[in-house]
Amino acid sequence: MSNDNRQPKGDSELELDWKGRTAPEERVQPSALAESGAGRGAPGDIRHMGPEVRDALTPLLEGSSLSVRQIHEWAEILVGWETGNRYEAIDQNGQFMLYIGETGQGWGNALLRNFWPFRRVELEFMTKGGALALRLEQPWTFFFTYVEVKAWDGRLMGYIQQRFGLLHRTFDICTPGGAVLATLEGPLWRPWTFRVKQNGQEVATIRKQWSGLAREMFTDSDFFGVEFQPGCTDPRLRQLVLAATLMVDLAYFEERDSGGSLFSLLGD
């Protein structure tokens, strides 16, 4: 794996001050969207993004790699009480890029997360200043995992649909109209690796990486590396690949009783 796609040296270097950071529910105001290029061009078109969102997504759209790290507080680890999923996306130089947080606060949502597996999950990808860059929505499904990915202005940019497969965990990455942009495949004999392919050619790779002995033994905190091939130049596909990384974690590496598709492994 490329040396550029490296894990941070320590939690203290990139640990976010979550209490002082804009919460996912504090969305961009409609007036701010109206003043930008919301609704113009295709969903996710970088030409119509506001400068804050465009700057935050530049490492994703132009870089060769990035990392996604799940964040857990020690109180959560010790008590075993599941709070909302929280991650940070880190660029190839080890710099913070996006905060990714699950929506839904309060005791009602906390009880659903801990005791009711049949729930939908919404993740918001936000800039350091609190502007919404992407949204992932995963409804609870009985058989195969399905997620919708929405652009910064709320329009559907695409969806990811799991397909039945005997030797691979297989997903279609599709446009809103249903055209297949790429496929995501995870071989059974390499359970931590997922490859994104277009026309049979690999254009990106998602890998779950070793996150340290303590985290692997005592938490479900995950760390993913994403690599893009030089030929992967479609900005929309790159944004969908980032969303697919979070989908992979929700579908395969989160605790089974925390939600998601009850029979997601049927696609294996």
Side-chain angles (χ1 to χ4, degrees):
M1 189 166 186
S2 170
N3 291 331
D4 290 337
N5 191 8
R6 53 183 178 270
Q7 186 169 350
K9 295 180 180 179
D11 288 351
S12 60
E13 296 182 13
L14 281 170
E15 192 75 33
L16 298 181
D17 179 9
W18 300 108
K19 293 181 180 179
R21 184 171 296 279
T22 303
E25 282 74 13
E26 297 177 18
R27 300 174 177 85
V28 177
Q29 297 299 314
S31 59
L33 288 175
E35 294 171 0
S36 68
R40 301 178 184 175
D45 189 334
I46 60 176
R47 296 173 298 177
H48 302 291
M49 292 177 180
E52 182 176 343
V53 174
R54 184 170 57 249
D55 290 346
L57 291 181
T58 293
L60 165 64
L61 303 178
E62 300 180 0
S64 61
S65 62
L66 59 89
S67 303
V68 175
R69 184 175 68 135
Q70 189 171 20
I71 302 298
H72 281 303
E73 294 180 357
W74 278 108
E76 178 183 356
I77 295 170
L78 294 175
V79 175
W81 181 261
E82 289 289 330
T83 61
N85 290 289
R86 295 182 302 178
Y87 309 80
E88 58 184 3
I90 306 158
D91 69 19
Q92 63 187 18
N93 298 314
Q95 301 299 311
F96 171 82
M97 189 173 70
L98 292 169
Y99 159 54
I100 305 165
E102 184 176 350
T103 64
Q105 303 296 319
W107 281 104
N109 286 288
L111 290 172
L112 285 176
R113 275 191 291 269
N114 284 271
F115 300 110
W116 185 250
F118 315 120
R119 67 183 185 94
R120 66 181 288 120
V121 177
E122 294 185 6
L123 298 177
E124 292 188 337
F125 301 60
M126 304 187 75
T127 69
K128 192 172 184 178
L132 182 66
L134 283 172
R135 181 199 296 271
L136 181 151
E137 298 180 1
Q138 177 178 290
W140 181 81
T141 54
F142 192 75
F143 285 108
F144 298 123
T145 299
Y146 169 85
V147 300
E148 292 185 349
V149 184
K150 295 184 177 179
W152 64 276
D153 59 358
R155 291 185 296 162
L156 181 65
M157 183 165 55
Y159 65 88
I160 306 172
Q161 174 68 66
Q162 186 177 15
R163 292 193 283 112
F164 177 79
L166 293 176
L167 299 178
H168 293 80
R169 296 158 293 177
T170 305
F171 299 80
D172 287 333
I173 302 176
C174 302
T175 67
V180 178
L181 280 175
T183 58
L184 177 68
E185 297 180 356
L188 290 181
W189 56 92
R190 301 190 68 179
W192 287 18
T193 302
F194 292 79
R195 304 188 185 281
V196 181
K197 295 183 177 180
Q198 275 189 314
N199 301 318
Q201 299 295 316
E202 184 176 327
V203 295
T205 307
I206 301 169
R207 289 187 178 93
K208 185 181 185 298
Q209 299 178 328
W210 176 256
S211 57
L213 182 61
R215 286 182 179 272
E216 293 289 343
M217 289 182 62
F218 301 112
T219 79
D220 60 350
S221 182
D222 297 317
F223 186 90
F224 292 87
V226 183
E227 291 183 335
F228 295 101
Q229 298 298 324
C232 187
T233 58
D234 183 348
R236 175 175 53 177
L237 179 57
R238 283 183 169 237
Q239 292 174 74
L240 290 169
V241 169
L242 175 58
T245 304
L246 279 300
M247 180 209 68
V248 164
D249 185 51
L250 294 173
Y252 293 107
F253 298 106
E254 285 291 283
E255 292 183 349
R256 286 294 171 192
D257 60 0
S258 65
S261 174
L262 183 62
F263 296 106
S264 63
L265 288 177
L266 286 175
D268 289 358

